[in-house]
Amino acid sequence: MTVGFEKTITNQCRVIAWARDRKPFPVSHMAGVSRLPHDVATFVIERELSIAGGFFNLVAHGAVFRSSGRRITRPGRALIVANRTSLEEAERQVHRVESLWGRQLATPAGPALTDADDRWRALEPGAGFELTWNRLPLPARPAARTDSGRDPRRRLR
């Protein structure tokens, strides 16, 4: 999956992704920032640390988050539900690493964060850059659906 990070004229970060020859889709849109946007830092940290239960790996597998502004799909939501614990741990890990880097302390993702920060700060409004995400196996798969297409846990009314 290719992920594009664009700096808007209001210094916001617009995140768009696409896989192979598929149509690009919005991932998120964050408020203006003075330093490296959280979504860029999240991508870099999750990629550098190979975090399979993180935001970008779930998106690569078809998860749809509210921050995208896209219609939430049942399969996309099921991915998030099945991996909620891993996603929460990934977000804690991202915050720890981002905090260490922000205080100029050593972290395995530090050089990649510094590179991304330099690239972001050099961007003019309307410009952006792309990074590549290679899908990792998911920590958990959504619950299987029955042959009729209904969730086996769902009660009939």
Side-chain angles (χ1 to χ4, degrees):
M1 173 176 78
T2 302
V3 181
F5 298 92
E6 178 191 341
K7 183 185 277 188
T8 68
I9 59 171
T10 57
N11 203 37
Q12 293 180 316
C13 180
R14 185 173 317 162
V15 184
I16 305 290
W18 59 96
R20 291 177 231 113
D21 58 353
R22 302 190 93 167
K23 181 180 166 187
F25 58 89
V27 175
S28 70
H29 193 117
M30 294 195 67
V33 293
S34 58
R35 282 203 61 142
L36 186 64
H38 177 68
D39 282 352
V40 178
T42 297
F43 182 97
V44 169
I45 293 165
E46 287 181 355
R47 185 178 68 182
E48 292 298 306
L49 302 182
S50 298
I51 300 175
F55 178 84
F56 283 97
N57 197 50
L58 292 180
V59 168
H61 281 275
V64 179
F65 290 85
R66 285 189 198 108
S67 63
S68 72
R70 296 169 55 212
R71 183 178 61 84
I72 305 294
T73 64
R74 193 171 278 152
R77 183 76 187 133
L79 276 170
I80 296 167
V81 169
N83 289 282
R84 183 167 311 286
T85 301
S86 297
L87 182 61
E88 290 169 351
E89 177 52 36
E91 191 64 19
R92 281 190 293 275
Q93 196 170 2
V94 164
H95 281 289
R96 278 192 301 271
V97 171
E98 193 174 7
S99 176
L100 289 169
W101 174 76
R103 292 179 288 156
Q104 299 179 345
L105 298 173
T107 171
L113 285 167
T114 299
D115 178 60
D117 185 46
D118 291 345
R119 290 178 75 183
W120 179 259
R121 296 209 270 166
L123 291 176
E124 294 295 324
F129 58 85
E130 298 172 357
L131 299 173
T132 303
W133 181 271
N134 294 313
R135 283 184 7 170
L136 302 167
L138 288 168
R141 288 272 176 203
R145 296 171 65 91
T146 64
D147 290 338
S148 66
R150 291 193 175 171
D151 187 328
R153 297 167 295 184
R154 190 173 176 188
R155 283 200 231 150
L156 295 175
R157 292 181 195 197

